[in-house]
Amino acid sequence: MREIQAFAMEDCIPSEDRRSPAFCDHENHSDFCEESSPEDAEMDVFGGLAALPVEVCERRPTCLRCGRPQKVCLCPFLPVHPLEVSTCLYIVQHPAEESRVLRTVPLLAACLPSGKCNVIVGRRFSEERYPDLAAVCRDPRTLIMYPGPGAQNLEELLPSDPEARSLGYNVILIDGTWSQAKDLFLRNDLLHLPKQVQLSSTLSSQYVIRTQPTNICLSTLECAALTLSTLEGKESIREVLLRPLNALCTFQLQHGAQVHHSKEHLLRNGLYDRPMPKNKRKIKRMEKLVTDQNI
């Protein structure tokens, strides 16, 4: 009778369940364990993790005008209406600048009309891949802002006739660290076509939340502010463009940021705490920061 009952129960069990541990006796249990491989166990573990609900992290809402998170929006410090200027800016931007949080180019673009601040991102610019930039570089009204022995002071270049100024210039600015800007300028022949100019102003940078090589090295927004105020003949342009930058720096300093002195300041005051470079060229460059009064 017991044999009949056992046979009946076996018929009631689905065939695929008869090899499960719940229905294995001691003799067959070892056979079952041999059939389970480490890969199967690993798949079971990861399969369980895959079944867990995924929490989606939402990004903070961003202001469409200034590009900042809405909680720290700088639009109250921007002009109500874009500044009317005849000069057209072209920002040649190193790709690494796109990922920086405290950028100044979005603030600059928010202050100017559409089409007056054009950003071109890349490392190498050929005439075939960037025909529009090549056309701008070949335009006789185009200037490139890059200091050096071959650069002419912008203030000396301008005509005294206001009507001649109103024709409008194209100005190319290089956006990146100083080493990145140097690499972009030296490795792109297109950027050597426009007339090279520099600012003669000794204004100290107000962008104190990033380290500059010297006290008179300016951020892209500061450089654009001085350039536009000079070309347009309006000192008020500089004040309007620097207002959001000052607000940005003030906010960051109030929330834990530290004032970044220039490398020149740190070296001259014995405060430079990083290891000195072993490269002779870099050592001479750092010595020049300390000894050259006309840098």
Side-chain angles (χ1 to χ4, degrees):
M1 188 68 177
R2 290 180 182 178
E3 294 177 358
I4 297 175
Q5 290 178 352
F7 181 79
M9 288 182 63
E10 186 175 354
D11 286 343
C12 295
I13 300 172
S15 59
E16 61 269 15
D17 291 341
R18 292 176 187 172
R19 295 300 300 168
S20 65
F23 296 97
C24 285
D25 54 18
H26 266 298
E27 294 179 359
N28 294 330
H29 183 63
S30 59
D31 296 338
F32 171 80
C33 294
E34 290 177 0
E35 292 180 6
S36 299
S37 64
E39 288 79 4
D40 294 337
E42 186 177 352
M43 289 297 296
D44 290 340
V45 172
F46 284 105
L49 292 176
L52 294 176
V54 179
E55 295 183 4
V56 179
C57 297
E58 297 183 0
R59 296 186 62 181
R60 291 184 295 176
T62 303
C63 175
L64 297 178
R65 186 182 181 191
C66 68
R68 299 275 296 164
Q70 290 181 358
K71 290 186 177 180
V72 290
C73 175
L74 295 176
C75 286
F77 304 95
L78 300 177
V80 178
H81 302 289
L83 297 174
E84 292 295 333
V85 294
S86 61
T87 306
C88 190
L89 299 180
Y90 291 87
I91 313 297
V92 176
Q93 187 178 79
H94 191 278
E97 281 296 310
E98 286 188 294
S99 59
R100 293 188 183 274
V101 178
L102 303 177
R103 297 175 294 162
T104 62
V105 171
L107 298 178
L108 173 62
C111 295
L112 300 177
S114 176
K116 291 296 184 179
C117 183
N118 306 282
V119 181
I120 308 167
V121 182
R123 286 188 176 89
R124 301 293 176 262
F125 302 94
S126 63
E127 191 165 0
E128 294 76 17
R129 293 185 60 190
Y130 296 89
D132 294 339
L133 177 61
V136 171
C137 291
R138 296 185 183 279
D139 192 326
R141 299 174 302 162
T142 300
L143 309 172
I144 183 166
M145 184 65 62
Y146 190 83
Q152 183 177 354
N153 289 337
L154 181 64
E155 295 81 358
E156 301 172 358
L157 179 67
L158 297 179
S160 56
D161 185 6
E163 292 185 2
R165 291 189 181 188
S166 63
L167 295 177
Y169 286 91
N170 301 316
V171 179
I172 298 176
L173 303 174
I174 303 178
D175 185 41
T177 64
W178 282 91
S179 60
Q180 292 168 351
K182 181 179 179 181
D183 180 74
L184 286 174
F185 181 75
L186 295 180
R187 293 180 180 272
N188 289 284
D189 293 337
L190 276 182
L191 302 183
H192 296 178
L193 297 178
K195 188 172 186 62
Q196 186 179 344
V197 296
Q198 63 186 5
L199 296 169
S200 60
S201 173
T202 56
L203 178 71
S204 295
S205 177
Q206 301 177 33
Y207 193 32
V208 295
I209 54 178
R210 282 184 68 175
T211 303
Q212 308 289 356
T214 71
N215 295 330
I216 61 173
C217 289
L218 304 177
S219 65
T220 304
L221 189 148
E222 291 172 312
C223 184
L226 289 175
T227 300
L228 289 176
S229 63
T230 302
L231 293 177
E232 303 290 330
K234 297 178 182 178
E235 183 65 22
S236 60
I237 292 179
R238 181 174 70 89
E239 299 174 359
V240 172
L241 291 179
L242 293 184
R243 192 178 301 139
L245 177 66
N246 292 332
L248 171 65
C249 294
T250 300
F251 178 84
Q252 293 298 127
L253 293 175
Q254 289 176 347
H255 291 79
Q258 300 295 321
V259 173
H260 288 229
H261 295 289
S262 69
K263 188 179 293 184
E264 173 193 4
H265 174 87
L266 297 175
L267 288 170
R268 289 186 174 181
N269 292 275
L271 302 174
Y272 192 78
D273 57 356
R274 294 186 179 182
M276 295 298 289
K278 297 181 180 180
N279 185 286
K280 292 183 178 180
R281 184 178 299 177
K282 291 184 178 181
I283 293 175
K284 288 183 178 180
R285 193 182 305 160
M286 296 183 74
E287 290 175 348
K288 190 176 181 181
L289 287 176
V290 180
T291 59
D292 193 351
Q293 298 297 326
N294 297 320
I295 194 167

